[in-house]
Amino acid sequence: MKHAVATVNGTAALHVCLLLAGIAADDEVLVPSLTFIATANAVAYCGATPHFVDSDEASLGVAPAKLADYLAGIAEVTAQGCRNRLTGRPIKALLVMHAFGHPADLDGLAELCERYRLTLIEDAAESLGSYYRGRHTGQWGLLSAVSFNGNKIATTGGGGALLTNDSALAKRAKHLTTTAKLPHAWEFVHDEVGYNYRLPNLNAALGCAQLEQMEGFLAAKRRLAERYAEAFAGLAGARFFTEQAHARSNYWLNVLLLDPAQAASRDTVLQATHDAGFLTRPIWTPMHRLSMYQNCPRMDLVVTEDLHRRVVCLPSSVVLG
């Protein structure tokens, strides 16, 4: 990517991505319900409404075919762009997230965005080092965001970055994230409401040292995934989640996917592993179940609900690899 603007965290980067895409009050943004809350929160920060869409089991990301069928029923394209016939609000963008480092189906989603005149924005917070059909994630959208949080592949302690190939947007991103202060030798003049989203120097120094070790971190993550895949091979009732043939995942978090018949055992597995000293986790609570988002528009989310019952996240520290 031509431009990267460092921010204090990945959520701040997402917020600015949406602002630069023109997302404002009364707009709708298509967002996977199966995501970390920052994806939906960034939309709410703009005064806009998250419109929740379903994921698929193959990628854990937004399901393009199902979304296409849904939009054919509720969306119309006008001279002003895409409009939700049910709410009357504009649908401005699709914010796609690459869950646990596994790339979503970017070709299908990019085509869908072109058809419905939607801005594609990538929440690539979890996919630093992941590739889709030979290209790094974050390169399909007009804008994308990555995270350098303490639990990510490379960390600045807390931090993130906005990525874009658009030089004008990059310049404006830098301006907005530095309190919209105009350059001057001594005067403090700000020309609009900006944000103190700069990455502190100490965090940046740590990040530079971390990025120098990225290849080693990614190799260790892959070794750990391979060990998990071998350990769970042939296990009845569950399978280790692996990358698709056209993708190369960073395996940021390793996932055990229970068979549908074993979904009721998820909490039993979580309790047993915790009792044994292994800190496993469920997937995030789907966004449409949270009180502040429960009245947002949504499509049928049957796959999201199913995956929520079946996913167990495994210890995934780079040290283990």
Side-chain angles (χ1 to χ4, degrees):
M1 299 293 280
K2 291 180 181 178
H3 303 284
V5 178
T7 58
V8 69
N9 54 52
T11 308
L14 270 181
H15 180 204
V16 177
C17 283
L18 291 162
L19 292 174
L20 294 175
I23 306 303
D26 296 325
D27 291 338
E28 292 182 10
V29 177
L30 302 174
V31 176
S33 183
L34 196 72
T35 186
F36 180 61
I37 195 168
T39 316
N41 281 351
V43 176
Y45 296 165
C46 299
T49 299
H51 186 147
F52 295 117
V53 299
D54 208 8
S55 297
D56 65 49
E57 186 174 322
S59 70
L60 304 180
V62 175
K66 187 173 182 179
L67 180 56
D69 289 342
Y70 175 67
L71 290 176
I74 64 103
E76 63 179 357
V77 178
T78 69
Q80 289 73 42
C82 186
R83 187 180 77 92
N84 184 338
R85 283 198 294 261
L86 303 181
T87 65
R89 291 189 292 251
I91 304 176
K92 288 283 190 69
L94 168 62
L95 180 51
V96 59
M97 195 273 290
H98 305 298
F100 306 133
H102 295 285
D105 185 349
L106 289 163
D107 283 340
L109 296 172
E111 188 278 329
L112 201 56
C113 285
E114 183 176 357
R115 190 191 320 170
Y116 283 93
R117 298 179 61 185
L118 304 171
T119 300
L120 177 60
I121 301 170
E122 289 180 69
D123 179 351
E126 301 178 358
S127 64
L128 192 65
S130 295
Y131 290 80
Y132 176 82
R133 301 195 187 281
R135 287 172 57 194
H136 199 289
T137 55
Q139 295 189 29
W140 272 256
L142 175 67
L143 298 140
S144 60
V146 295
S147 173
F148 303 120
N149 191 30
N151 63 354
K152 294 300 190 293
I153 294 278
T155 182
T156 58
L162 176 152
L163 308 178
T164 185
N165 283 323
D166 188 307
S167 298
L169 289 179
K171 183 177 181 180
R172 179 153 169 73
K174 188 69 172 177
H175 186 60
L176 282 177
T177 57
T178 53
T179 65
K181 182 179 180 298
L182 297 175
H184 194 279
W186 57 82
E187 292 285 3
F188 288 87
V189 180
H190 307 259
D191 63 353
E192 61 180 311
V193 175
Y195 304 88
N196 189 10
Y197 281 171
R198 292 166 291 192
L199 182 69
N201 289 344
L202 287 175
N203 297 86
L206 172 59
C208 286
Q210 285 272 297
L211 288 174
E212 291 173 356
Q213 303 179 68
M214 267 292 293
E215 292 303 320
F217 292 158
L218 290 168
K221 287 281 190 178
R222 183 159 288 272
R223 284 195 299 270
L224 179 59
E226 290 169 351
R227 291 171 62 192
Y228 272 132
E230 181 180 356
F232 290 117
L235 177 68
R239 66 179 176 89
F240 180 69
F241 190 88
T242 56
E243 63 198 4
Q244 297 186 85
H246 57 259
R248 184 174 178 85
S249 175
N250 63 9
Y251 285 104
W252 172 63
L253 273 188
N254 291 291
V255 168
L256 188 66
L257 190 60
L258 303 181
D259 289 348
Q262 299 298 326
S265 301
R266 187 201 69 175
D267 287 355
T268 302
V269 172
L270 293 170
Q271 186 64 61
T273 49
H274 275 249
D275 289 347
F278 300 104
L279 302 185
T280 54
R281 294 285 187 271
I283 204 167
W284 318 279
T285 299
M287 296 298 99
H288 69 280
R289 287 192 178 187
L290 301 177
S291 59
M292 59 282 203
Y293 294 131
Q294 63 185 2
N295 295 321
C296 291
R298 71 185 76 159
M299 67 185 293
D300 160 35
L301 298 170
V302 62
V303 177
T304 294
E305 293 282 5
D306 179 55
L307 289 171
H308 176 245
R309 292 188 291 266
R310 296 166 53 207
V311 167
V312 174
C313 296
L314 304 170
S316 299
S317 168
V318 69
V319 176
L320 298 176

